[in-house]
Structure formats: structure tokens, C-alpha cells
Amino acid sequence: MIEFAGWTMPIQYSTLKEEHLSVRNNAGMFDVSHMGEIFIEGEDAEKFVDYLVTNDVTGLVPCQICYTPMCNYEGGVVDDILVYKFYHNKILLVVNASNIEKDYEWILKNSEGFNVEIRNESDAYTQIALQGPKAQEILNEISGVDLHNIKYYHFEKGTVDGIECIVSRTGYTGEDGFELYLKNGSSIYLWRKLLEVGKFMGIKPAGLGCRDTLRFEAALCLYGNELSDNISPLEAGLKWTVKFDKDFIGKSSLLKQNEEGLPYRLRGIELLEKGIARHGSELLNENGENIGWISTGYLSPTLQKSIALGFLKPGYRKIGTEIAVAIRNKKINAKIIKTPFYKGSVKR
């Protein structure tokens, strides 16, 4: 257990590798109640959230979700969030635990002139993430919702073993799965019930350790690593989430960056020698000059090779380009490779 954003959180229950492979092959279950839930309601809810974030919210149908950065005025990322659209006048924002207060203050600050009510209900909700190729089979045992009808990045309100839940087909692992939002009173019961019904299908409780290795293999961004107040969505490879045909906070800064060229760009990296690249490790060219840095690096439990995500200057981003990683005062040879590193059972 460790302290994380004011919570005591499990790094692992058994071993990181065992939990990681359980999610890849069967199913794993994460307690992610540390995530924040901020509700936006009112006549201008849709209009306001569409202005807050870079992705298109007005194009969502009821019970659809979008992943999106929420930028500052300079184009850096305040947070990367999920937008759950119930109706045009009711929207849920799911935000990162370490950013809850920052996000809430930012949202309040920018709400002037919009007819909205903003409520931070993060302390009232539990979130359980059931992930893996057998996730639907397990949840079907006790779900009052027809899971087959929930498309990727859609949700429904209903019951799971009689407990009122928001059930969404989302996740952070690269595998198929669901995230369940429920009021705190029933959370321990439901956690234990899911472990019980999934026992014979190989379900395991999983901690923060494998949550990071799983999202990394799928090349999903982690705030504080691939995204920050000083890193733009364009630099992080999230241009697909930036809709320049509408108005949003930070648009002018991102337009300028898009036209002038990116100073750094996120790329996948494979080490060609023994070693593990860590967050912050320098990236070097053939002359030993700094050309970027590592944002995340691991020995991949699935692929069994040392890979990383890193930000690179122009001229070093093409697939196959050879570079070096500085690890303990040594230059370790590496090359640029395609991402995602791994494609799992996620239903796109």
C-alpha cells in the first residue's frame, strides 16, 4: 500500500506480473475510487463543457462518452478527462485524483456567463474497473443491464446485483471491460460479489502497479508523465481529440503550435540493449546531444522487451530512427517504433 493523492492505495495484491497477465488473459478488478466525479447541470451544460475541452461534446448522443484534454490558455493540459453525456443539460466529468481540486477550481473560474450548476461529488462515489477479455462474461452473471448493447465509450444506468450503477464500456488497460460508478454504501459488497462470481473465470484483484504497465503497453497517456500543464495534446499525440472547428480554451495557442511545428512529439521507443528506461531519462543523438526525455519506461510484462514512451525533437521521430537512452551514465542504443505497443481485446 502507498499514499496516492490523499488515498491509501494498493500497488499490488500478489505480484505486478501476475495481475498484469490476468487482465490480459482473463480479468482483473481495480478499485479506482480515487478518481474524481464532477457534475455539470443546467441549460448551458453542453455548451459550457464543449468550451472547456478540446474534443467535440455537442456531437455526443445521450449515454455516449468522449476522452478529451482540458487545456489552459497556453495550450498545456490542465487534465485529461472523460465526458459522460446524460443529456444536453446533464454531464459528468471523470477527472484524475491528483487534479480534483485543481480541476474543480478551473471549471468554476471559467463558468462565468454560463447557466450551469457545478458539483464536486468525488467523495460520494466508488468506481470499480473490471477489465479483461472475460470481463463481460463475469459481469453478465449479476448485471441487470444488457452489456451486449453497450458500445465502446457508451454507458447505461441500471443495476448490478440490485445496486444502482452507471455502467460504462471504458477502461485504461487496452482490454475490453467496464467501469462501474456507484454510491459508497454498497461498494464493499459489490467488490466481493464480483470476485466471487468471477473466481472460476480467473478474475484477480489488481493494483496501481499493473494499471500503469497495462495502460503503457496500450500507449495511453498518464497525467504527469505524457501530459501536464506544460505539455500540449498535440505534443502527446492526441491531435485526434483537438477539434479546431469549434471554440475552446487554449485554441489559439494550439493553432499556433500546429502551424509552427511541435518542439517535441511523443514516440514509442525500443531499447536494443539490456536496460530499462525510466521517467526523466535523457534521450541522445549519435553525438551525445540531448534530443528529448523518457516519459514512461518498463520491461513489458506482455511483450518481454524493454520499451518506453518519450518526447523527441524534430528530426528524430521517424519509425526506425536510432537514438540512445542515458541510463546510469551509459548510452543504451534504442530505436523509434510504432505505438500502441500492444492491442488487446478492447472493442473499438
Side-chain angles (χ1 to χ4, degrees), residues 276-322:
I276 299 175
R278 298 299 186 191
H279 176 76
S281 297
E282 278 191 287
L283 295 173
L284 310 170
N285 64 15
E286 66 276 11
N287 299 320
E289 299 165 331
N290 182 291
I291 54 169
W293 73 94
I294 295 291
S295 56
T296 305
Y298 281 109
L299 175 64
S300 163
T302 306
L303 306 176
Q304 284 298 298
K305 60 183 180 181
S306 189
I307 50 179
L309 291 168
F311 287 90
L312 286 146
K313 290 180 178 179
Y316 301 95
R317 302 168 184 169
K318 188 177 178 182
I319 303 299
T321 301
E322 294 196 0

Side-chain angles (χ1 to χ4, degrees), residues 27-311:
M29 195 164 68
F30 301 83
D31 174 6
V32 283
S33 304
H34 56 301
M35 300 292 283
E37 291 83 19
I38 299 174
F39 285 87
I40 316 286
E41 295 193 44
E43 183 182 336
D44 293 339
E46 181 182 75
K47 180 181 175 183
F48 173 53
V49 176
D50 197 55
Y51 171 67
L52 267 182
V53 304
T54 64
N55 212 336
D56 178 24
V57 176
T58 61
L60 300 177
V61 298
C63 294
Q64 190 175 3
I65 306 159
C66 75
Y67 168 80
T68 178
M70 178 169 64
C71 286
N72 56 34
Y73 307 124
E74 294 75 35
V77 179
V78 176
D79 202 1
D80 62 324
I81 66 177
L82 292 181
V83 175
Y84 282 64
K85 182 177 176 179
F86 290 82
Y87 307 103
H88 77 277
N89 59 355
K90 182 179 180 181
I91 291 175
L92 165 64
L93 306 182
V94 180
V95 306
N96 284 303
S98 56
N99 292 335
I100 293 172
E101 291 305 319
K102 180 181 81 166
D103 289 359
Y104 184 55
E105 293 301 320
W106 178 256
I107 293 165
L108 288 175
K109 177 182 175 180
N110 288 283
S111 64
E112 188 175 345
F114 293 93
N115 181 12
V116 290
E117 177 191 353
I118 300 162
R119 302 191 315 275
N120 178 9
E121 296 193 15
S122 303
D123 289 343
Y125 280 87
T126 290
Q127 187 190 150
I128 297 173
L130 176 60
Q131 300 284 294
K134 295 184 181 178
Q136 180 169 324
E137 187 180 356
I138 292 167
L139 191 56
N140 263 334
E141 294 288 319
I142 55 172
S143 177
V145 177
D146 187 348
L147 303 177
H148 181 73
N149 287 334
I150 302 180
K151 299 175 185 176
Y152 187 54
Y153 266 66
H154 287 70
F155 69 96
E156 285 191 23
K157 289 184 70 177
T159 61
V160 177
D161 207 39
I163 299 164
E164 290 290 331
C165 292
I166 297 169
V167 182
S168 69
R169 194 168 218 131
T170 49
Y172 196 46
T173 62
E175 300 296 341
D176 187 26
F178 300 87
E179 292 179 313
L180 312 177
Y181 300 82
L182 60 150
K183 291 297 181 74
N184 293 337
S186 304
S187 55
I188 294 174
Y189 168 81
L190 187 57
W191 174 269
R192 291 175 175 169
K193 186 67 176 181
L194 285 165
L195 285 178
E196 178 189 324
V197 300
K199 182 178 179 181
F200 298 107
M201 287 174 262
I203 194 172
K204 290 188 182 298
L208 285 184
C210 81
R211 185 170 166 83
D212 197 38
T213 54
L214 289 159
R215 72 89 195 166
F216 162 70
E217 289 181 344
L220 301 173
C221 292
L222 173 65
Y223 194 86
N225 287 37
E226 287 75 40
L227 293 167
S228 76
D229 289 299
N230 301 311
I231 299 173
S232 81
L234 303 181
E235 291 174 307
L238 298 176
K239 188 175 181 180
W240 60 275
T241 68
V242 179
K243 309 303 182 186
F244 285 121
D245 59 351
K246 64 157 200 165
D247 191 26
F248 59 86
I249 297 171
K251 179 179 178 178
S252 59
S253 297
L254 291 181
L255 272 172
K256 183 180 178 183
Q257 191 179 77
N258 191 49
E259 290 165 3
E260 294 180 353
L262 305 178
Y264 290 94
R265 175 67 161 80
L266 191 67
R267 283 289 185 258
I269 298 165
E270 179 182 348
L271 274 63
L272 303 176
E273 302 176 78
K274 190 175 181 180
I276 299 175
R278 298 299 186 191
H279 176 76
S281 297
E282 278 191 287
L283 295 173
L284 310 170
N285 64 15
E286 66 276 11
N287 299 320
E289 299 165 331
N290 182 291
I291 54 169
W293 73 94
I294 295 291
S295 56
T296 305
Y298 281 109
L299 175 64
S300 163
T302 306
L303 306 176
Q304 284 298 298
K305 60 183 180 181
S306 189
I307 50 179
L309 291 168
F311 287 90

